[in-house]
Amino acid sequence: MAPVTRPSTSVTLGKAINMGLRKAMEDDPKVLLMGEDIGKLGGVFRVTDGLQKDFGEDRVIDTPLAESGILGTAVGLAMRGFRPVCEIQFDGFIFPAYNQIVTQVAKIHSRSRGKLPMRIVIRVPFGGGIGAVEHHSESPEAYFSHTAGLKVVACSNPVDAYWMIQQAIRAEDPVLFFEPKRRYWEKAELDTSATPGPLFVTSVVRPGDDCTVLAYGPMVKTSLQAASAVEAEGRSLEVIDLRTLSPLDLDPVYDSVRRTGRCVVVHEAPTNLGLGAEIAARITERCFYSLEAPVLRVGGYDTPYPPSKIEEDYLPDLDRVLDAVDRTFAF
Amino acid sequence: MSSGDIGVGPGDSSFAEAGPELIQLLTPEGERVEHPDYSIEISPEELRAIYRDLALVRRIDVEATALQRQGELGIWASLLGQEGAQIGAGWALEADDMAFPTYREHGVAWCRKVDPLDIISLFRGCDNGAWDPVATMFNLYTVVIGAQCLHAVGYAMGMQRDGGNGATLAFFGDGATSQGDVNESFIWASVFAAPVVFFCQNNQYAISEPIEKQSRIPLFQRARGFGFPGVRVDGNDVLAVLAVTRKALDAARTGQGPTFIEAYTYRMGAHTTSDDPSRYRLASEMEAWKLKDPIERVRAYLIRSGYADADFFAGIDAEADELAARIRQGTVEMPDPDPDSMFANVYAEQTPYLTEQAAGFAEYHASFATAEQEA
Ligand SMILES: Cc1ncc(C[n+]2csc(CCOP(=O)(O)OP(=O)(O)O)c2C)c(N)n1
Ligand SMILES: [Mg+2]
């Protein structure tokens, strides 16, 4: 038997998604990519770089500039047995497609009594921190998590990104795939011969004893930094990367909170009716007698995403995470 | 249908030849030509003023691009090459008309007396445009492709109903013509005979995608299917653009409904400063379009006809230098917005919840100041 090679390389998050897309296209000829500027340009973040050259214009489709069109035609392609992977150029431009996603993509499997699976992936670079103009820094994940029939995931690092995009493409349901755009250039060692865990599973990324910090997408790194910052003070934070936003996988969270008695949920999206609200409610229902303090939320403020000169004041950072952690101890 | 039938776009052998429908009054060489349907009466003084606007707007653009390169702006969307289309359209606007720009209409803004620094503040990340859209009759920039076209139609329907004398001018790009909102705006304008003029700058690209990714027929021909006239004008010919837009706005104001104007032009720069066009287009294409520069032809005409001398051009250059210096200074000295300004104007009637959140925000920030003092 030939020796098993373990090709491990250092890749950026953007490149990891690119590699995952390539693998998915090699594995299944029914996988198509659709979006604005994804062909020759390789996408504005270069996530699809080189794919049109290698898979041709029929499989990597530069679409007309119309998001409703991208999602609406993806529905028809999915009905025909294809697996379209749609790129939305920026979070704020998903809304022309909102109607198709919420009224059609989300409901067709149920309306057709399972006869028409909607195997569609919608890739969305999301979140702020890159100094962009308006509509380029938003976090619209709650709108979709609120809609039955859609699954929603967010990756936070290159290794997860590589596996999760392939698993989302293989999934039998429509998946909103949120990519933390300010982390596209962050690197990690990727071993493409490893065996990934399942997609819709939450993972503990840093064990700790004193307080559970929940995050996803770009806020995972921020939360890990917060945990490192207080380590010297003798405070131990357990950081959990949710990964899946709908369905939520909260069993590891309940286990954690029962041990720590404290929990802070962090996201860039506005706090009001964000993911944190649902998570706090469920934790309260399941872990009430273990809680030393109410579950606290750290999020964007309930304002439109501000101009970039003041976005750092809007976005949760290490200080705001630690401030919330402190408040859980003040109860 | 072969792509040869389309007559537009790089995929076609006649690329950069806009076809016989192209309305032109001033050739790239600076020669005045006549057109059977469009004419223009323009005094030497007005011509010099048009030249001045073209030159100053280009200078604003060059300065803003440089400021971005030096880290003073987050991004800049250049209008390089589209000055003729924009100054022509801007000159056609009357006081009562309302303009609905995209994010690239810095030339139209100039004609509407918007201070360039109020545009630069958006691209610097200080606000979403600092000018007053009501006072200037120039709407705020709209970044979401095509959304403003419906607003322009609704505003025009308002003018129809409250006895206004104006019309609206809706700006959008070639890529935008694929959006649902834009197509819906055509339908509404047509059905209600709204006093709106659709001004499409076909600069041949939507970021990396050439026009044939959006359309298999020349864009102006689409109008007919919606029930109103469409024309294609040389977008690099400021006089033709002015004549065509003026006539269309007049028609709209006098109850004759909408017109679609396709200003055939070329985006000489990158899509924005974040873009790298070498990935998707050939430099030779740009060289061909350089020969059709919208400013050079006016200059040539002014010289040829003896309407302007070297002193005039030197004067404009000096004025451009001054303007650039003012913009540079105004930009580097521009203060950052107050962080708590994010809570202002979210609602016309502020909610108690947000008031409380804003107070918490202020308190949180004050706690750092206190901590610093104690340290
Ligand atoms: C709804 C929406 N989708 C995508 C984008 C991203 N985007 C910004 S400009 C642009 C291309 C626009 O092309 P065109 O309409 O030709 O105008 P131009 O930029 O060439 O002036 C795209 C896709 C956006 N701003 N809004
Ligand atoms: Mg364009």
Side-chain angles (χ1 to χ4, degrees):
Chain A
M1 227 174 77
V4 183
T5 52
R6 296 214 167 270
S8 180
T9 41
S10 175
V11 295
T12 63
L13 193 149
K15 178 67 182 172
I17 298 174
N18 175 277
M19 290 166 66
L21 290 169
R22 177 179 290 280
K23 183 75 172 49
M25 295 189 79
E26 283 165 0
D27 289 351
D28 182 354
K30 292 291 191 187
V31 174
L32 306 177
L33 310 190
M34 309 169 69
E36 295 155 9
D37 305 289
I38 68 166
K40 247 188 191 171
L41 186 64
V44 294
F45 292 106
R46 309 292 185 262
V47 171
T48 54
D49 192 25
L51 297 178
Q52 188 181 64
K53 194 171 123 276
D54 294 342
F55 294 96
E57 292 190 23
D58 277 351
R59 290 189 69 195
V60 180
I61 305 170
D62 263 332
T63 68
L65 206 181
E67 291 77 9
S68 181
I70 295 171
L71 263 298
T73 55
V75 167
L77 284 158
M79 288 172 65
R80 186 76 189 167
F82 288 90
R83 289 178 183 265
V85 181
C86 305
E87 174 175 302
I88 298 294
Q89 203 162 74
F90 283 91
D91 35 62
F93 306 136
I94 198 167
F95 299 105
Y98 195 57
N99 170 47
Q100 285 289 344
I101 297 171
V102 172
T103 72
Q104 306 299 317
V105 174
K107 294 193 167 91
I108 286 177
H109 185 264
S110 130
R111 289 177 61 239
S112 68
R113 299 174 308 281
K115 294 276 185 277
L116 297 171
M118 286 290 110
R119 298 169 186 125
I120 297 172
V121 173
I122 308 168
R123 294 184 37 240
V124 191
F126 84 123
I130 63 159
V133 297
E134 55 175 343
H135 312 295
H136 291 73
S137 305
E138 300 179 359
S139 299
E141 62 274 13
Y143 298 122
F144 302 98
S145 306
H146 191 64
T147 301
L150 301 175
K151 291 182 177 170
V152 183
V153 301
C155 58
S156 69
N157 63 73
V159 176
D160 274 4
Y162 175 73
W163 297 114
M164 286 171 75
I165 189 64
Q166 295 178 64
Q167 293 169 321
I169 293 170
R170 278 199 303 273
E172 291 299 293
D173 289 302
V175 179
L176 274 289
F177 190 89
F178 283 97
E179 303 171 3
K181 72 168 85 78
R182 69 160 124 160
R183 309 285 185 221
Y184 271 141
W185 301 274
E186 309 230 329
K187 284 189 163 180
E189 284 296 314
L190 172 65
D191 175 1
T192 55
S193 68
T195 308
L199 177 59
F200 299 104
V201 162
T202 279
S203 73
V204 176
V205 289
R206 180 186 169 118
D209 305 318
D210 300 334
C211 180
T212 305
V213 178
L214 306 181
Y216 56 87
M219 287 291 104
V220 174
K221 181 175 181 189
T222 307
S223 302
L224 285 169
Q225 287 169 333
S228 302
V230 289
E231 194 176 17
E233 298 165 22
R235 188 164 276 174
S236 152
L237 306 184
E238 175 145 304
V239 180
I240 295 185
D241 181 353
L242 286 173
R243 295 176 15 119
T244 173
L245 310 184
S246 184
L248 285 166
D249 171 38
L250 295 187
D251 284 342
V253 174
Y254 303 145
D255 289 347
S256 173
V257 173
R258 284 188 189 114
R259 277 190 296 106
T260 63
R262 295 180 170 83
C263 183
V264 171
V265 193
V266 190
H267 51 60
E268 287 189 15
T271 314
N272 184 38
L273 294 167
L275 262 292
E278 175 66 23
I279 292 166
R282 290 205 205 176
I283 292 172
T284 309
E285 287 164 6
R286 297 293 195 91
C287 309
F288 188 69
Y289 292 105
S290 309
L291 284 170
E292 304 285 345
V295 178
L296 294 185
R297 292 167 291 162
V298 181
Y301 296 102
D302 295 298
T303 69
Y305 195 89
S308 61
K309 282 281 184 194
I310 54 172
E311 70 180 331
E312 296 305 332
D313 292 292
Y314 174 91
L315 292 167
D317 60 3
L318 189 146
D319 285 329
R320 282 179 63 203
V321 173
L322 294 180
D323 175 65
V325 170
D326 284 346
R327 282 187 284 129
T328 68
F329 279 93
F331 270 91
Chain B
M1 191 171 83
S2 78
S3 64
D5 298 328
I6 302 169
V8 285
D12 178 60
S13 57
S14 65
F15 169 60
E17 295 307 324
E21 308 91 341
L22 192 77
I23 300 159
Q24 199 175 64
L25 297 176
L26 190 62
T27 67
E29 294 73 35
E31 264 172 79
R32 277 283 276 116
V33 288
E34 297 304 318
H35 189 278
D37 303 323
Y38 295 92
S39 60
I40 191 157
E41 298 264 321
I42 196 127
S43 69
E45 200 186 338
E46 285 172 315
L47 262 176
R48 285 191 295 269
I50 285 175
Y51 178 84
R52 174 178 173 272
D53 285 347
L54 290 166
L56 294 186
V57 155
R58 177 166 290 183
R59 189 52 178 270
I60 293 167
D61 191 76
V62 167
E63 197 61 26
T65 300
L67 283 162
Q68 195 282 334
R69 290 284 175 248
Q70 291 152 14
E72 294 293 339
L73 306 185
I75 193 171
W76 178 252
S78 169
L79 61 32
L80 197 68
Q82 298 177 222
E83 298 89 348
Q86 295 195 14
I87 298 301
W91 268 66
L93 286 164
E94 301 283 345
D96 287 342
D97 297 334
M98 178 74 181
F100 288 80
T102 67
Y103 40 80
R104 207 187 289 285
E105 269 67 69
H106 322 313
V108 186
W110 174 257
C111 296
R112 288 316 244 182
K113 308 277 182 279
V114 170
D115 187 328
L117 284 168
D118 288 347
I119 297 174
I120 280 181
S121 63
L122 184 165
F123 292 95
R124 187 171 164 85
C126 294
D127 52 43
N128 294 317
W131 66 93
D132 178 344
V134 181
T136 57
M137 295 293 271
F138 182 75
N139 192 37
L140 291 176
Y141 278 180
T142 300
V143 171
V144 179
I145 299 295
Q148 74 281 1
C149 291
L150 280 164
H151 309 161
V153 175
Y155 196 100
M157 290 169 67
M159 288 169 153
Q160 240 175 355
R161 280 158 179 74
D162 67 12
N165 295 317
T168 63
L169 191 54
F171 291 89
F172 53 104
D174 44 288
T177 61
S178 294
Q179 280 287 0
D181 275 8
V182 175
N183 287 274
E184 288 175 32
S185 76
F186 295 160
I187 291 175
W188 282 65
S190 169
V191 166
F192 296 102
V196 55
V197 173
F198 295 107
F199 193 92
C200 177
Q201 285 166 85
N202 177 358
N203 63 6
Q204 314 299 331
Y205 286 90
I207 309 188
S208 72
E209 296 194 16
I211 178 66
E212 68 264 19
K213 296 276 175 196
Q214 317 289 343
S215 186
R216 302 299 283 176
I217 59 162
L219 292 174
F220 76 97
Q221 288 181 10
R222 288 210 189 143
R224 198 186 155 89
F226 286 96
F228 49 90
V231 291
R232 174 180 275 185
V233 61
D234 180 348
N236 288 10
D237 172 355
V238 65
L239 298 186
V241 172
L242 172 54
V244 167
T245 312
R246 199 173 255 169
K247 192 168 173 178
L249 283 168
D250 274 343
R253 288 189 207 99
T254 53
Q256 296 166 68
T259 303
F260 180 107
I261 298 171
E262 177 187 359
Y264 199 78
T265 180
Y266 192 78
R267 196 193 76 208
M268 294 298 284
H271 170 68
T272 65
T273 44
S274 309
D275 177 38
D276 172 12
S278 71
R279 291 180 70 100
Y280 55 80
R281 70 183 190 189
L282 298 171
S284 59
E285 201 179 284
M286 202 173 84
E287 292 308 314
W289 276 92
K290 255 191 194 150
L291 303 173
K292 304 175 192 212
D293 186 76
I295 304 184
E296 278 310 311
R297 68 178 76 182
V298 178
R299 187 187 180 95
Y301 178 53
L302 282 169
I303 294 170
R304 174 193 306 266
S305 49
Y307 293 159
D309 55 16
D311 280 354
F312 168 78
F313 293 113
I316 299 289
D317 287 347
E319 196 182 353
D321 286 344
E322 259 168 57
L323 177 62
R326 179 173 84 79
I327 286 172
R328 169 160 296 269
Q329 189 180 359
T331 302
V332 299
E333 288 174 359
M334 199 176 281
D336 284 356
D338 234 341
D340 48 15
S341 63
M342 74 175 87
F343 295 96
N345 295 306
V346 176
Y347 302 98
E349 298 174 292
Q350 174 78 306
T351 65
Y353 175 75
L354 200 57
T355 305
E356 196 186 311
Q357 199 173 74
F361 177 86
E363 208 175 288
Y364 173 72
H365 281 272
S367 74
F368 286 93
T370 319
E372 256 167 46
Q373 269 170 12
E374 283 167 1

mmCIF file of all heavy atoms in Angstrom, chain B residues 297-315:
data_model
loop_
_atom_site.group_PDB
_atom_site.id
_atom_site.type_symbol
_atom_site.label_atom_id
_atom_site.label_comp_id
_atom_site.label_asym_id
_atom_site.label_seq_id
_atom_site.Cartn_x
_atom_site.Cartn_y
_atom_site.Cartn_z
ATOM 1 N N ARG B 297 -11.698 67.114 -27.343
ATOM 2 C CA ARG B 297 -12.423 67.556 -28.537
ATOM 3 C C ARG B 297 -13.022 68.950 -28.340
ATOM 4 O O ARG B 297 -13.113 69.726 -29.291
ATOM 5 C CB ARG B 297 -13.475 66.532 -28.964
ATOM 6 C CG ARG B 297 -14.653 66.366 -28.025
ATOM 7 C CD ARG B 297 -15.666 65.368 -28.564
ATOM 8 N NE ARG B 297 -15.218 63.988 -28.397
ATOM 9 C CZ ARG B 297 -15.902 62.936 -28.821
ATOM 10 N NH1 ARG B 297 -17.055 63.086 -29.468
ATOM 11 N NH2 ARG B 297 -15.457 61.728 -28.600
ATOM 12 N N VAL B 298 -13.407 69.281 -27.131
ATOM 13 C CA VAL B 298 -13.936 70.624 -26.873
ATOM 14 C C VAL B 298 -12.797 71.639 -26.976
ATOM 15 O O VAL B 298 -12.940 72.726 -27.550
ATOM 16 C CB VAL B 298 -14.611 70.705 -25.485
ATOM 17 C CG1 VAL B 298 -15.114 72.114 -25.200
ATOM 18 C CG2 VAL B 298 -15.768 69.716 -25.401
ATOM 19 N N ARG B 299 -11.684 71.245 -26.441
ATOM 20 C CA ARG B 299 -10.499 72.108 -26.520
ATOM 21 C C ARG B 299 -10.138 72.377 -27.986
ATOM 22 O O ARG B 299 -9.910 73.528 -28.384
ATOM 23 C CB ARG B 299 -9.338 71.394 -25.804
ATOM 24 C CG ARG B 299 -8.093 72.205 -25.655
ATOM 25 C CD ARG B 299 -6.977 71.308 -25.080
ATOM 26 N NE ARG B 299 -5.749 72.051 -24.926
ATOM 27 C CZ ARG B 299 -5.367 72.638 -23.791
ATOM 28 N NH1 ARG B 299 -6.122 72.550 -22.724
ATOM 29 N NH2 ARG B 299 -4.243 73.305 -23.739
ATOM 30 N N ALA B 300 -10.128 71.301 -28.770
ATOM 31 C CA ALA B 300 -9.791 71.444 -30.190
ATOM 32 C C ALA B 300 -10.788 72.371 -30.895
ATOM 33 O O ALA B 300 -10.402 73.223 -31.704
ATOM 34 C CB ALA B 300 -9.776 70.074 -30.859
ATOM 35 N N TYR B 301 -12.041 72.226 -30.549
ATOM 36 C CA TYR B 301 -13.070 73.055 -31.174
ATOM 37 C C TYR B 301 -12.921 74.522 -30.763
ATOM 38 O O TYR B 301 -13.041 75.439 -31.589
ATOM 39 C CB TYR B 301 -14.454 72.518 -30.806
ATOM 40 C CG TYR B 301 -15.596 73.326 -31.371
ATOM 41 C CD1 TYR B 301 -15.661 73.624 -32.746
ATOM 42 C CD2 TYR B 301 -16.620 73.793 -30.553
ATOM 43 C CE1 TYR B 301 -16.709 74.363 -33.271
ATOM 44 C CE2 TYR B 301 -17.676 74.532 -31.072
ATOM 45 C CZ TYR B 301 -17.710 74.820 -32.428
ATOM 46 O OH TYR B 301 -18.747 75.549 -32.942
ATOM 47 N N LEU B 302 -12.644 74.733 -29.485
ATOM 48 C CA LEU B 302 -12.454 76.106 -28.993
ATOM 49 C C LEU B 302 -11.287 76.782 -29.717
ATOM 50 O O LEU B 302 -11.361 77.951 -30.104
ATOM 51 C CB LEU B 302 -12.190 76.102 -27.481
ATOM 52 C CG LEU B 302 -13.410 75.920 -26.566
ATOM 53 C CD1 LEU B 302 -12.975 75.677 -25.127
ATOM 54 C CD2 LEU B 302 -14.348 77.124 -26.646
ATOM 55 N N ILE B 303 -10.222 76.039 -29.922
ATOM 56 C CA ILE B 303 -9.039 76.599 -30.588
ATOM 57 C C ILE B 303 -9.332 76.835 -32.066
ATOM 58 O O ILE B 303 -9.125 77.929 -32.587
ATOM 59 C CB ILE B 303 -7.824 75.655 -30.416
ATOM 60 C CG1 ILE B 303 -7.422 75.597 -28.939
ATOM 61 C CG2 ILE B 303 -6.654 76.107 -31.289
ATOM 62 C CD1 ILE B 303 -6.392 74.529 -28.605
ATOM 63 N N ARG B 304 -9.884 75.793 -32.677
ATOM 64 C CA ARG B 304 -10.173 75.841 -34.103
ATOM 65 C C ARG B 304 -11.066 77.036 -34.458
ATOM 66 O O ARG B 304 -10.873 77.703 -35.462
ATOM 67 C CB ARG B 304 -10.856 74.527 -34.490
ATOM 68 C CG ARG B 304 -11.364 74.416 -35.911
ATOM 69 C CD ARG B 304 -12.285 73.190 -36.013
ATOM 70 N NE ARG B 304 -11.625 71.976 -35.538
ATOM 71 C CZ ARG B 304 -10.990 71.134 -36.336
ATOM 72 N NH1 ARG B 304 -10.910 71.362 -37.620
ATOM 73 N NH2 ARG B 304 -10.429 70.068 -35.822
ATOM 74 N N SER B 305 -12.053 77.291 -33.596
ATOM 75 C CA SER B 305 -13.001 78.355 -33.920
ATOM 76 C C SER B 305 -12.575 79.716 -33.351
ATOM 77 O O SER B 305 -13.299 80.697 -33.480
ATOM 78 C CB SER B 305 -14.388 77.970 -33.423
ATOM 79 O OG SER B 305 -14.319 77.530 -32.095
ATOM 80 N N GLY B 306 -11.421 79.731 -32.702
ATOM 81 C CA GLY B 306 -10.918 80.993 -32.173
ATOM 82 C C GLY B 306 -11.681 81.497 -30.959
ATOM 83 O O GLY B 306 -11.597 82.667 -30.604
ATOM 84 N N TYR B 307 -12.420 80.617 -30.290
ATOM 85 C CA TYR B 307 -13.208 81.035 -29.123
ATOM 86 C C TYR B 307 -12.364 81.109 -27.846
ATOM 87 O O TYR B 307 -12.814 81.643 -26.850
ATOM 88 C CB TYR B 307 -14.362 80.067 -28.878
ATOM 89 C CG TYR B 307 -15.429 80.081 -29.948
ATOM 90 C CD1 TYR B 307 -16.285 78.986 -30.110
ATOM 91 C CD2 TYR B 307 -15.609 81.199 -30.781
ATOM 92 C CE1 TYR B 307 -17.276 78.992 -31.078
ATOM 93 C CE2 TYR B 307 -16.603 81.196 -31.753
ATOM 94 C CZ TYR B 307 -17.423 80.087 -31.905
ATOM 95 O OH TYR B 307 -18.402 80.087 -32.851
ATOM 96 N N ALA B 308 -11.199 80.480 -27.887
ATOM 97 C CA ALA B 308 -10.363 80.502 -26.685
ATOM 98 C C ALA B 308 -8.900 80.530 -27.092
ATOM 99 O O ALA B 308 -8.526 79.927 -28.104
ATOM 100 C CB ALA B 308 -10.638 79.274 -25.821
ATOM 101 N N ASP B 309 -8.101 81.229 -26.289
ATOM 102 C CA ASP B 309 -6.675 81.304 -26.592
ATOM 103 C C ASP B 309 -5.861 80.658 -25.459
ATOM 104 O O ASP B 309 -6.421 80.150 -24.487
ATOM 105 C CB ASP B 309 -6.251 82.757 -26.798
ATOM 106 C CG ASP B 309 -6.620 83.619 -25.603
ATOM 107 O OD1 ASP B 309 -6.915 83.060 -24.515
ATOM 108 O OD2 ASP B 309 -6.651 84.859 -25.746
ATOM 109 N N ALA B 310 -4.564 80.739 -25.608
ATOM 110 C CA ALA B 310 -3.682 80.097 -24.629
ATOM 111 C C ALA B 310 -3.906 80.645 -23.224
ATOM 112 O O ALA B 310 -3.852 79.914 -22.237
ATOM 113 C CB ALA B 310 -2.225 80.284 -25.050
ATOM 114 N N ASP B 311 -4.196 81.948 -23.139
ATOM 115 C CA ASP B 311 -4.437 82.553 -21.826
ATOM 116 C C ASP B 311 -5.629 81.913 -21.132
ATOM 117 O O ASP B 311 -5.611 81.673 -19.927
ATOM 118 C CB ASP B 311 -4.713 84.059 -21.973
ATOM 119 C CG ASP B 311 -3.426 84.837 -22.131
ATOM 120 O OD1 ASP B 311 -2.354 84.198 -22.007
ATOM 121 O OD2 ASP B 311 -3.497 86.059 -22.381
ATOM 122 N N PHE B 312 -6.662 81.663 -21.934
ATOM 123 C CA PHE B 312 -7.856 81.040 -21.355
ATOM 124 C C PHE B 312 -7.507 79.685 -20.748
ATOM 125 O O PHE B 312 -7.839 79.402 -19.591
ATOM 126 C CB PHE B 312 -8.945 80.878 -22.420
ATOM 127 C CG PHE B 312 -10.085 79.993 -21.976
ATOM 128 C CD1 PHE B 312 -11.067 80.475 -21.115
ATOM 129 C CD2 PHE B 312 -10.165 78.663 -22.397
ATOM 130 C CE1 PHE B 312 -12.104 79.649 -20.684
ATOM 131 C CE2 PHE B 312 -11.196 77.834 -21.963
ATOM 132 C CZ PHE B 312 -12.167 78.332 -21.110
ATOM 133 N N PHE B 313 -6.809 78.873 -21.510
ATOM 134 C CA PHE B 313 -6.484 77.528 -21.013
ATOM 135 C C PHE B 313 -5.552 77.596 -19.807
ATOM 136 O O PHE B 313 -5.684 76.831 -18.858
ATOM 137 C CB PHE B 313 -5.887 76.671 -22.131
ATOM 138 C CG PHE B 313 -6.885 76.366 -23.219
ATOM 139 C CD1 PHE B 313 -6.730 76.883 -24.502
ATOM 140 C CD2 PHE B 313 -8.006 75.588 -22.949
ATOM 141 C CE1 PHE B 313 -7.658 76.618 -25.502
ATOM 142 C CE2 PHE B 313 -8.944 75.319 -23.950
ATOM 143 C CZ PHE B 313 -8.766 75.840 -25.228
ATOM 144 N N ALA B 314 -4.627 78.539 -19.838
ATOM 145 C CA ALA B 314 -3.723 78.697 -18.695
ATOM 146 C C ALA B 314 -4.522 79.098 -17.456
ATOM 147 O O ALA B 314 -4.250 78.638 -16.341
ATOM 148 C CB ALA B 314 -2.659 79.740 -19.011
ATOM 149 N N GLY B 315 -5.519 79.936 -17.671
ATOM 150 C CA GLY B 315 -6.373 80.360 -16.556
ATOM 151 C C GLY B 315 -7.122 79.186 -15.946
ATOM 152 O O GLY B 315 -7.224 79.051 -14.717
#
